[in-house]
Structures are given as C-alpha cells and as structure tokens.
Amino acid sequence: RGSAAGEPASLYGGNCQSSEQFFTGDYCSLNSTANTLCISWHMESGDLDDCLGGRSLVADGTTAFEIIGTDDPTINGLYTVAKLEGYAGPDGYRRQHSNVAMFRWQREHWILADLGPAMDRYSDQSAWLYRVASGSPPAATPPTAEWNRVPPRSDLPEKVEILQAIQVGSPEARLLRQQQTTEPSRTFDSRTSSMELQFQAGGSIAERLGTSGCYPAALIPLTDGTFCVTLRLIASTRNGNAFTFGVATEMKKSYGDGFGFEEGSVGLMQDCTEDGSGKARLAWTQGKRTVRELGVRLEENDTVSLRVDGGDVTFWINETLIDTVPAPPNAGVAGCTLHTSGAVKTEPFRFIESHSVATEEGVRVARPAVPLQGSVDSSMSDGGIGKIDILEGLCVFLSDETVTAGDADSIAWRLRFSGNDSFSIGAVSTADAGRAAECLFEDAEYPLAINSSGTFGGSLQRLAMSDSDVVVCLNGASRTLDVYTDGSPTPVKSLPWTAVCAASDGVAEEEILGSSTRDATQMHLAVSGFDGCTIDFKPVGKFLSSSSAVTAAVPSSDVLCGEPFVEFRVDAAAGTALVETGNGPSVFTSKQGVVMGRPEKLAWHCIISGNAAFSVGALPADAFDAESAARNLHENTTAPLTINSTGTSGGNQRTCSMMSPQGIVVMLD
C-alpha cells in the first residue's frame, strides 16, 4: 500500500525480499489459494483490461469521460486528463494503460486516435478513429455527443457516444452507468449448456432442433457483480413448449422447470403456442413462486434483456423496461431454455434513456423532493428514479408534484423498501406539509397514513410492505389514496381524502362533498423511514396489471327481467356507469361478449351498495331471455357461473362477501 501513485508499497507482516519494487498505480491480479498469495504482473498495453474483464480502475473522485458503443475493449472505457507529449492545446484525455487518446486538433475537431507506442501520431490521419466538430467557439473539453467514424476505418462501428464528464465513484456516475451504457455481446458456454442444443458463430447463437431434449438450457456463467445480456429471438416462437430467460443460482442443463420456475431463479417465461395465445410472464421462485402476467407476447425478432446489479435484476422486452426484482441468492448463471425449433442470438446490451416505461394512462410519476428532515445518501435521477438510503434519524419526503381534489389527475410512486422495517406511506395537504412527520409517525388517527407492519406507534393502519413492490397513488378524480401490492389490479387500501381536506380548509366534513372549497385542496404523496431503511423509487409502470389486456365491459340498458331501472347513466368517456335497479329482481348483462378459446378478456369493476341481495355471474348467448336469465342467476342452486352475495337468501349456494368500498372485479377470460 502507498499514499500516492508511484510511491513504493509496503507489505504487511514483513519485508519485501524481491528485487522488484511494487508501486501503487501499477496493477496486478491477486489470487488467494491455500496459504499462497500469487501476484501476476501485467506490463503489456491492454493486458490490464484482459485481467480485469474489460473494466478500468480509476480512482474515485477523478473527472473522466466515458466512451460507449463499440465492441472493442481498447476503445470503450473511461478517459482521464493526461499529459500528451508533443501536443499543445486544451487538456487531452487518455484511456488508462492504452495508446488511445482524445485531443483537439487545429481548433476544428476533437479527435479520438490510436497514437501508437510512442504516443506521437497526432497528424497521422490513418491513426484517427473518430472525430466530431469542436463547434464555435471551439469546445475546450470533448463534446458529449455521437462521434463519427473517420474514413476509411470500416472495421469500426459507424458512431461512438461520448458521455458527459462524471466524478468517478459518485452517485451520479453510478446512475449514469446504469442509465447509459453499452455492453458487448455475451457468448453461451457450450460446456455447461445442454448437449441437445447446437451452438454457432462462436457461441453467440443457440438452436434447438425440433423437440430434442426437455427445457434444454443455453447458459452463460455470471462472471462479475454487474452483468448484462441481450438475446434476439431469431426463430419462430409458435412451435410449442415454453421459452424462458433469466438468472438463477444454478440451472439444470435439461429436464428442469426453466428460469423463473426452477427454485432459486427469476425470469421471463412464455408458452409458445401455434394460435399465439401464450403471453409473456415474469416469475420468480424462492421458497414460493410468484407469477405476474405482462399482457405482451414475444414474437420472432423480438429482444429480451436483463441486467444484474447490486442484488437486483432488471428485465426489458424490446428495450421497454418491464421490472426490477431481487436477484436469486448467489446468482451464478444466466441464459435461456428454448422452445421447439427455437433459436436465439446474443447481441450487445444497450441501456439508454429511451428505454421507456409504460405508465398507467392519466398517472404522472411523482418525484421525491429534498427531505424535510433527516440525513440520506441519494442516487436519484431527474425523473425521480433511484435509491435513497436513510443514514440517521427520521427522514420524511414529500412529492414535488401535487394533485388537486376533484381533478381528473393522479400521481404515483412505485416503491420497494428494504432494511429497517419501520416506515410509513401516505399523503399530506400543502397546508400540512410542515407537520408531515407528525402526520405519518405520531398521529394515531391521521386518516391518510399507512405504517409498515414493523412500525410501532403512529397510525393504526398497518400493511406488510417490505421487500415487495408497493404502488401508492393519489387519485384526484376519486379523491382517494390508493395502495397496490403484488400486482393486484385493485387497491389493497383505499383511503378517502375527506377528513384531511376538511381540516385543511376549516370546513365541516359533512359540508365538503361537492364543494368548491374542497376541490382547491392540493395533496402531496409522502413517505418516511428511519436510519437503515432503503427506499427504491422505481418506474411506476402498469400497476393496474390487467388493464392492457382486458376490455372494459359496458352494461346494457336493456332489462332482461324486472322493473325498469330507476337510474341508468353511462359516461362513455370515463368508462364508468351508474345503475340503480327498481322493485323486484332485475337482470342485466354486458353489451360485449367473449368467445371461449380465444385470447379475450372482459371485465367489470363493480362497487355495489344498498340492498345486499344480489348476484354476479355469466350467461351463454343462447340463454339471453328473461326466464333463463332469472333462473340461472337467482333460482338455480347449482348454476355453474353464478356467485351470490352473502346477503342473498336461496338460489346458488356459492357465496362471497362483495360489498367492499373498493368493489370487486368480475372477469370473463
């Protein structure tokens, strides 16, 4: 160890007997086997990157530019200020332990060139690799833009991208590394993969011939803590069996359950059927199995990507972010299992800002503001995505954005909590922002706070929220704070704003409904926790998980039997309806229907009040007459597609409590 680069290093436990001096700033690979410490010297240019798996070592705090976009490890990487002999101009930048450098030439261009062993080929245009105009006035630092290849270098990608100057090791640099990077293509390891697969193009293509094997796996060992891979499906996904793609602690070569379904794995999975009915799912199995329907279908030429980083694994389909979930413990392998006659090809992994997240229509992603109190370590992006580690004491965040009661507007956070299990979520009005900590942690009767199950004191409303995704949404139209967990399409908690709005505006609660005073109340999302708690703010995504794949049913105004409706009102634009029945039993149906065997879904989200004697169900098209409808829904004790409320006497014996403030979802699949 030494205090600065170039100083002789001291060794623990004795004197160095070697005739060589070991200087900090030189790099070596260290291998500990038994009681032996092996030091292997790498003196040749480029050897360092082979030794380190292509990752340069640059001290934290160093200002650097990063080049991405090529498969060439001698070009990609971090460039730091360097003294370039024989060069006069603004600071030049050199890739560590390399002859490749960036410099400004004749005030017209910035040049990226291989200057050769003597580092002197500045004017030799055959050594130039890429260039970009320096602008007017000439830029004093490398422009952060795409640089164009210098003809006739056809052996290089047409463009490379120069990233902004970063402080190496800073949260901003870590976030930039996550959001903007290109990683080279991976190759499958035929030795650890299934023998039933054929590998081509140096291991970048894996193919299953017909039905050979069972869940044959094409595997890539995980070699470091941050690992990325992209696969393109180059053969049909409609030939039967299932395709899976993901990460696992370990994976069977054949005759396993695939990624996401094998114990200790997480992955994307799709049943490959000729009729195209199979849809992609995200699944993970760790003791128990969790499966989330994604509502999209993988087709030939689609891409799937994953990134393992810091204990999490993130998935994309066609460069659209799907989700980030915990990686399996001691994850050791990535890859896929192939469907019948399936083939995949590895491609460079590219993660850029355009990897957008489909968010619920009408919902804005909220961004946490500077904490009202507490000490934190934050790695948040401008878009409100990133992690916050609470370092000391109670910390409270409000959203920058607000929602006005009564407006057709919503804001939402998708959060994942880990570490200290003492935290709260909720909402406060702008007027109450100064007492947010009191509202979330101290006031047992505050109506818009929900504590984790590990929290003592404060709000009596509890919910288990650690180590799973929680979406908290402020809905202006319904004037509710809605909380969704585990991909539930309906809220597990839905808290009305009424009391908070009344207190904020000084108006009696019973006078609030429909008043313009209440509609002026602005509400923030709020979250709080104690030291040791990590809050991961994630892309909100589609938290109403069935919305993209389900048609909203429209009730028909035709009464099959019974008295005419007292009120029947449909708001087509909002997709809502209000139906109030008359005297005696009334039966009505949806206007739409579904055909058995087709990939169609039809659903109602019903909130039922008043008389507790009611039924929900489904009728075949040939039973659309008053007599058979009433018989099936109200009289037939064995009707297979009818469920009675617990307040119904007689009729079907299949009952369910359905008078919930959150309502029920009834779906025909």
Side-chain angles (χ1 to χ4, degrees):
R1 60 192 179 99
S3 59
E7 292 186 0
S10 61
L11 301 179
Y12 286 106
N15 298 318
C16 180
Q17 301 300 319
S18 171
S19 60
E20 304 272 1
Q21 273 196 304
F22 169 32
F23 290 88
T24 60
D26 295 333
Y27 293 92
C28 58
S29 63
L30 302 179
N31 235 334
S32 179
T33 55
N35 297 318
T36 304
L37 178 67
C38 304
I39 302 180
S40 305
W41 294 94
H42 296 266
M43 306 305 292
E44 297 293 331
S45 173
D47 281 354
L48 170 69
D49 289 301
D50 296 335
C51 165
L52 298 175
R55 298 186 178 278
S56 296
L57 297 182
V58 180
D60 284 358
T62 304
T63 298
F65 288 81
E66 185 174 15
I67 292 184
I68 63 175
T70 81
D71 287 341
D72 189 341
T74 65
I75 297 177
N76 278 354
L78 294 174
Y79 288 69
T80 55
V81 174
K83 180 175 177 58
L84 302 177
E85 296 292 341
Y87 164 74
D91 284 339
Y93 294 80
R94 181 180 178 182
R95 189 182 186 282
Q96 278 201 325
H97 301 270
S98 167
N99 301 328
V100 181
M102 292 187 288
F103 54 91
R104 198 177 73 186
W105 189 248
Q106 297 180 342
R107 298 174 60 84
E108 294 183 358
H109 292 91
W110 273 87
I111 305 295
L112 177 69
D114 185 345
L115 298 178
M119 295 292 291
D120 60 358
R121 300 173 64 188
Y122 300 104
S123 59
D124 182 357
Q125 295 195 19
S126 67
W128 292 4
L129 307 175
Y130 293 90
R131 69 184 173 190
V132 67
S134 56
S136 180
T141 57
T144 56
E146 285 190 337
W147 292 29
N148 295 309
R149 182 180 62 204
V150 177
R153 294 300 297 264
S154 59
D155 57 317
L156 297 173
E158 186 175 346
K159 298 177 185 293
V160 296
E161 188 174 357
I162 309 292
L163 299 186
Q164 66 196 57
I166 57 176
Q167 292 291 320
V168 176
S170 67
E172 293 77 17
R174 290 195 298 269
L175 186 65
L176 185 65
R177 186 72 184 158
Q178 290 176 354
Q179 292 181 339
Q180 293 184 306
T181 185
T182 296
E183 299 281 355
S185 299
R186 301 282 181 171
T187 55
F188 296 112
D189 184 354
S190 59
R191 296 168 300 176
T192 59
S193 301
S194 172
M195 292 187 296
E196 284 92 2
L197 299 178
Q198 289 197 355
F199 295 93
Q200 307 167 33
S204 63
I205 294 177
E207 182 180 9
R208 181 184 180 187
L209 300 178
T211 59
S212 60
C214 177
Y215 280 86
L219 302 177
I220 307 170
L222 297 184
T223 54
D224 48 47
T226 302
F227 178 92
C228 310
V229 62
T230 293
L231 300 184
R232 184 175 295 278
L233 283 68
I234 60 174
S236 174
T237 57
R238 294 178 178 246
N239 287 344
N241 299 145
F243 168 79
T244 72
F245 167 71
V247 177
T249 304
E250 57 183 4
M251 179 58 59
K252 296 177 181 177
K253 295 182 180 182
S254 293
Y255 296 93
D257 292 325
F259 289 95
F261 286 75
E262 191 75 22
E263 176 64 28
S265 71
V266 58
L268 300 174
M269 181 269 187
Q270 176 171 290
D271 291 318
C272 299
T273 55
E274 292 184 5
D275 62 2
S277 61
K279 296 290 179 68
R281 293 175 279 172
L282 178 62
W284 57 98
T285 302
Q286 186 63 43
K288 66 175 183 178
R289 179 175 298 160
T290 303
V291 181
R292 181 181 303 161
E293 298 286 346
L294 300 179
V296 296
R297 175 172 175 79
L298 294 170
E299 297 285 2
E300 192 170 302
N301 210 39
D302 283 350
T303 61
V304 289
S305 304
L306 65 81
R307 177 185 177 90
V308 181
D309 190 7
D312 290 331
V313 56
T314 304
F315 289 92
W316 294 263
I317 295 177
N318 294 327
E319 295 196 349
T320 296
L321 181 62
I322 298 300
D323 202 356
T324 299
V325 296
N330 303 314
V333 65
C336 66
T337 63
L338 284 171
H339 50 291
T340 299
S341 301
V344 294
K345 180 181 184 296
T346 62
E347 293 191 349
F349 173 92
R350 183 167 174 80
F351 181 68
I352 56 176
E353 291 290 353
S354 64
H355 281 174
S356 58
V357 183
T359 302
E360 292 294 345
E361 187 174 350
V363 178
R364 291 180 291 138
V365 178
R367 294 169 297 177
V370 175
L372 296 177
Q373 63 184 74
S375 173
V376 303
D377 181 10
S378 173
S379 60
M380 300 296 294
S381 70
D382 291 340
I385 308 303
K387 288 186 179 181
I388 292 175
D389 295 311
I390 300 177
L391 304 178
E392 185 176 355
L394 169 63
C395 187
V396 181
F397 289 88
L398 300 184
S399 61
D400 266 339
E401 296 79 4
T402 61
V403 171
T404 301
D407 285 357
D409 187 20
S410 298
I411 59 175
W413 277 332
R414 180 185 289 270
L415 308 171
R416 180 182 286 267
F417 297 89
S418 57
N420 191 334
D421 193 28
S422 182
F423 57 85
S424 304
I425 58 175
V428 297
S429 66
T430 301
D432 283 337
R435 53 183 294 268
E438 175 188 343
C439 295
L440 265 66
F441 263 107
E442 300 170 19
D443 188 346
E445 297 182 356
Y446 183 71
L448 290 183
I450 301 173
N451 280 340
S452 71
S453 54
T455 303
F456 296 94
S459 175
L460 300 179
Q461 300 194 80
R462 296 281 195 273
L463 188 64
M465 296 182 282
S466 287
D467 299 314
S468 63
D469 281 12
V470 177
V471 174
V472 52
C473 178
L474 268 173
N475 191 322
S478 64
R479 301 174 174 90
T480 55
L481 174 71
D482 299 326
V483 180
Y484 302 79
T485 61
D486 296 328
S488 170
T490 54
V492 294
K493 293 276 189 182
S494 187
L495 309 178
W497 299 1
T498 309
V500 171
C501 296
S504 299
D505 298 327
V507 180
E509 185 171 331
E510 59 270 16
E511 298 174 10
I512 290 297
L513 286 173
S515 73
S516 59
T517 306
R518 182 191 185 208
D519 289 349
T521 301
Q522 292 184 315
M523 303 291 291
H524 299 260
L525 286 171
V527 61
S528 57
F530 282 97
D531 45 293
C533 178
T534 295
I535 308 172
D536 188 359
F537 290 80
K538 304 172 67 174
V540 170
K542 288 279 190 179
F543 56 89
L544 298 176
S545 60
S546 62
S547 60
S548 62
V550 181
T551 301
V554 177
S556 170
S557 59
D558 298 328
V559 185
L560 289 178
C561 65
E563 298 292 327
F565 297 122
V566 174
E567 183 175 8
F568 187 95
R569 186 169 70 241
V570 174
D571 184 341
T576 60
L578 174 67
V579 179
E580 184 177 345
T581 59
N583 295 324
S586 297
V587 179
F588 64 96
T589 68
S590 62
K591 284 185 176 180
Q592 306 101 311
V594 295
V595 178
M596 186 168 65
R598 292 183 183 174
E600 302 171 330
K601 295 180 181 180
L602 187 66
W604 273 334
H605 179 191
C606 311
I607 300 175
I608 305 173
S609 59
N611 190 333
F614 59 87
S615 306
V616 297
L619 296 169
D622 59 5
F624 268 22
D625 62 78
E627 182 179 352
S628 58
R631 182 174 66 249
N632 278 316
L633 263 70
H634 272 288
E635 300 168 18
N636 187 345
T637 59
T638 59
L641 294 182
T642 301
I643 301 174
N644 281 342
S645 71
T646 51
T648 304
S649 301
N652 199 294
Q653 301 304 301
R654 191 181 294 107
T655 62
C656 180
S657 176
M658 295 184 279
M659 294 190 74
S660 161
Q662 288 80 43
I664 58 170
V665 173
V666 186
M667 181 167 69
L668 274 170
D669 186 345

